[in-house]
Amino acid sequence: MPFNRKEAAMLVRTLLNEKKRDLITIEPHQPIDKAMEVLITNNISCLPVIDESGKLSGIVSDKDIFKKVHETKGEYHNLHVEDVMTTAVIVGLPDDDVSYIAGVMTKNWIRHVPIVDGENLIGLVSLRDIIRVQAENKEVENRYLKLYLEGMHSRDKSADF
């Protein structure tokens, strides 16, 4: 049977369950230096910003910080995450399809989408996650196509008898 693209669809919820990394966040009052330390130490490129009540209040990326360092000509040490973070955050839902999140990233030129359930941040989908899922889907699709073609080839040979 040929590969059915709908079978390859993956929900964000499934992707988050498969991720091996814990969600790392930061609070808005933290200094930019602390945000840089967390990013570098964990080899990540963004941090969801969580307020005192645990709700998503923004997102700060390495690019946001890099831009601010440049703008301030290196005089950024007195700034905090809240001075740099993006507050108009585009979010996804656990029941969104991963391909939908990929489209949101492409359309908005973003590399990360925080995933919320109600008001609670439950995960973060990165461009790396999207690429991994797409690569796995291609691998499955290629396997199905190979089996399908091998099956057709076997059938052709058996018709000779």
Side-chain angles (χ1 to χ4, degrees):
M1 170 186 266
F3 179 75
N4 181 345
R5 274 208 166 298
K6 291 190 185 253
E7 293 174 13
M10 177 185 278
L11 295 180
V12 168
R13 172 185 322 279
T14 304
L15 185 152
L16 293 178
N17 288 337
E18 291 177 358
K19 286 183 80 161
K20 294 170 178 59
R21 186 175 268 204
D22 290 334
L23 181 61
I24 301 168
T25 62
I26 196 161
E27 295 175 340
H29 65 274
Q30 292 291 322
I32 288 180
D33 288 323
K34 177 65 176 175
M36 286 191 292
E37 177 186 329
V38 172
L39 291 168
I40 292 166
T41 301
N42 292 286
N43 195 29
I44 56 178
S45 58
C46 92
L47 292 164
V49 182
I50 304 301
D51 67 17
E52 309 80 39
S53 65
K55 294 182 180 138
L56 181 67
S57 62
I59 193 165
V60 63
S61 73
D62 53 359
K63 287 184 175 184
D64 297 329
I65 295 171
F66 189 71
K67 181 179 176 187
K68 187 57 80 172
V69 168
H70 176 73
E71 287 173 357
T72 62
K73 308 229 184 298
E75 298 297 321
Y76 63 90
H77 297 287
N78 61 338
L79 297 175
H80 296 88
V81 170
E82 60 199 347
D83 300 321
V84 180
M85 70 184 194
T86 300
T87 56
V89 182
I90 296 169
V91 299
L93 304 173
D95 290 327
D96 285 338
D97 191 279
V98 171
S99 62
Y100 169 75
I101 297 296
V104 168
M105 288 176 162
T106 301
K107 181 179 179 185
N108 294 284
W109 290 83
I110 56 176
R111 300 177 293 160
H112 302 88
V113 175
I115 306 302
V116 296
D117 189 2
E119 294 186 2
N120 300 317
L121 175 69
I122 62 168
L124 184 72
V125 174
S126 69
L127 189 54
R128 181 180 301 171
D129 297 327
I130 299 294
I131 291 169
R132 181 183 56 79
V133 168
Q134 289 176 342
E136 288 170 0
N137 285 348
K138 288 293 178 200
E139 185 177 323
V140 169
E141 183 176 2
N142 288 341
R143 178 173 279 166
Y144 272 108
L145 289 172
K146 182 178 178 187
L147 291 172
Y148 178 72
L149 291 173
E150 286 174 354
M152 287 183 65
H153 182 67
S154 300
R155 224 177 319 151
D156 291 344
K157 284 185 176 181
S158 64
D160 292 339
F161 293 107

